[in-house]
Amino acid sequence: MYRTDDWAKLCPMGHPLSPSYICGWTLAEWVLYRKENQPIFYHTTIDFSLKRPNESIPLFLGACYLASYQSLNSEHYESYLHDAERSRLDSYAYERRKRSYLLGRLSAKSTVSAMTGIQDWDKIHIQNGIFHQPIVSGPSIHNVQVSISHCDHLGLSVSYPEKIMLGIDIEKMDQKSIRILQEHCTDHEKNLVFRLPHSSHLAFWMLWTLKESLSKAVKTGFTMPLEMLEIQEIEARENVFISTYTYFSQYQSITFQINNYLCSITYPKLFDIDLDFLRVHQHLERLISQDNQDAIKKEGVK
């Protein structure tokens, strides 16, 4: 990995961002600093699994925070990107698009690296399929898939083996989009909203993240009618929600909230998800709190 003395340093033990451990795996974390010592890049990778009797499938969740693309010089990310990815990044005209592309690639590569053991991220190539689904390739990379989501300054990804299908989505809840979200809900889903012991604001955003994550799991995106992604049921549990689908009954999703963000992960219903949500909440809240500080400073895209 490329690091310069002026712009990057590993966090020492005891530092709030120092490496910590879960299930024996290192949560790889580091921060790049501006010269005025403001963080501009941070990421963490957490291992978890899907389980059923006599089987456990290892997965990796990667989260990435990038304050501002303009704060980075090309030398800060060149060694992380494949040649084709660098060309793709350079082809985008606007910072918002550059930032979202970089967030997706960096968060995804962190999980693929954790799953495969490949330390040179520039050897990992993540390209787009026909429906813009991410496709992972590279030397000695086999049986690895990844799902990517990004929102504002945050990127989330999950890597998983080809044996299963999985999707992830993260959204930042705001009030101004509620009417649009309602327009894309079926009558059944609207009834679900009023039955939930939570605000309709949260519920409508949850329905959207559930549809997004399912569309990524089946690798079609929103190329199918949204009615086909209808949510059948939502069950509120301790700190999370479990949801099922009307027409994709072989899948279920888990949704959790961090501040004003919602994240949904969709996976085969045959499995139970084994993820330390308290640890995930702690690490994502750290990224999101940084994002909120930047919003207050009006940093990044105006």
Side-chain angles (χ1 to χ4, degrees):
M1 305 284 182
Y2 180 87
R3 297 176 175 83
T4 64
D5 293 337
D6 290 338
W7 286 78
K9 60 184 178 182
L10 289 171
C11 298
M13 294 302 293
H15 187 281
L17 299 179
S18 63
S20 52
Y21 301 89
I22 182 171
C23 302
W25 291 89
T26 301
L27 295 174
E29 307 174 29
W30 64 83
V31 180
L32 295 179
Y33 288 89
R34 288 203 196 93
K35 290 185 178 179
E36 51 275 21
N37 210 34
Q38 294 297 317
I40 56 174
F41 175 75
Y42 165 80
H43 99 87
T44 183
T45 307
I46 303 172
D47 72 306
F48 66 111
S49 63
L50 293 181
K51 292 185 176 181
R52 61 180 178 177
N54 302 317
E55 185 176 17
S56 179
I57 297 180
L59 311 169
F60 289 90
L61 171 68
C64 175
Y65 166 81
L66 179 63
S68 172
Y69 176 81
Q70 291 177 339
S71 301
L72 292 175
N73 294 324
S74 60
E75 63 183 11
H76 296 138
Y77 57 78
E78 276 185 347
S79 63
Y80 296 99
L81 299 181
H82 186 274
D83 289 344
E85 293 169 336
R86 289 198 294 270
S87 297
R88 184 72 176 269
L89 180 66
D90 292 340
S91 71
Y92 296 126
Y94 299 103
E95 179 186 345
R96 184 184 295 274
R97 187 67 188 94
K98 288 176 179 287
R99 186 180 65 214
S100 63
Y101 182 83
L102 196 56
L103 278 170
R105 270 23 186 200
L106 292 176
S107 63
K109 285 167 181 276
S110 73
T111 66
V112 174
S113 175
M115 178 166 279
T116 63
I118 297 175
Q119 298 300 312
D120 297 324
W121 289 13
D122 60 325
K123 301 296 191 298
I124 302 170
H125 183 199
I126 300 175
Q127 52 190 313
N128 291 337
I130 190 65
F131 295 125
H132 300 284
Q133 77 275 19
I135 300 173
V136 182
S137 62
S140 304
I141 295 180
H142 306 286
N143 187 33
V144 178
Q145 298 282 328
V146 68
S147 180
I148 298 173
S149 183
H150 43 74
C151 181
D152 292 339
H153 300 274
L154 302 173
L156 286 184
S157 296
V158 175
S159 62
Y160 57 95
E162 293 177 340
K163 180 176 183 177
I164 63 171
M165 299 173 74
L166 184 147
I168 189 170
D169 186 61
I170 186 169
E171 300 289 344
K172 186 175 184 179
M173 296 182 288
D174 63 62
Q175 192 63 43
K176 64 183 180 180
S177 301
I178 289 298
R179 181 177 296 181
I180 298 174
L181 298 180
Q182 290 174 331
E183 292 173 356
H184 292 294
C185 290
T186 65
D187 290 339
H188 174 74
E189 290 170 336
K190 292 175 182 176
N191 289 332
L192 285 180
V193 167
F194 297 117
R195 284 161 44 193
L196 282 173
H198 295 79
S199 70
S200 60
H201 174 73
L202 181 147
F204 279 118
W205 273 107
M206 189 189 318
L207 291 172
W208 186 259
T209 67
L210 290 169
K211 293 178 182 182
E212 281 265 21
S213 61
L214 175 60
S215 74
K216 293 176 182 179
V218 298
K219 301 185 185 301
T220 63
F222 284 161
T223 59
M224 69 171 73
L226 290 182
E227 293 81 4
M228 292 297 298
L229 303 173
E230 183 183 71
I231 287 78
Q232 174 66 27
E233 196 61 62
I234 300 175
E235 178 187 350
R237 298 185 184 177
E238 185 178 3
N239 301 321
V240 298
F241 299 88
I242 301 294
S243 304
T244 55
Y245 298 89
T246 302
Y247 303 107
F248 288 86
S249 57
Q250 67 271 50
Y251 290 95
Q252 67 181 13
S253 299
I254 192 162
T255 304
F256 52 95
Q257 180 181 3
I258 307 99
N259 297 349
N260 56 340
Y261 286 80
L262 278 179
C263 178
S264 291
I265 302 175
T266 298
Y267 54 95
K269 199 174 181 179
L270 293 171
F271 292 89
D272 293 320
I273 193 166
D274 184 12
L275 178 58
D276 187 340
F277 286 100
L278 177 60
R279 183 61 62 87
V280 171
H281 189 281
Q282 291 172 345
H283 284 268
L284 293 187
E285 191 173 48
R286 185 181 302 161
L287 269 68
I288 290 168
S289 64
Q290 182 62 54
D291 183 44
N292 290 336
Q293 290 174 28
D294 282 346
I296 292 172
K297 296 174 184 177
K298 297 182 179 180
E299 186 172 296
V301 177
K302 301 296 185 182

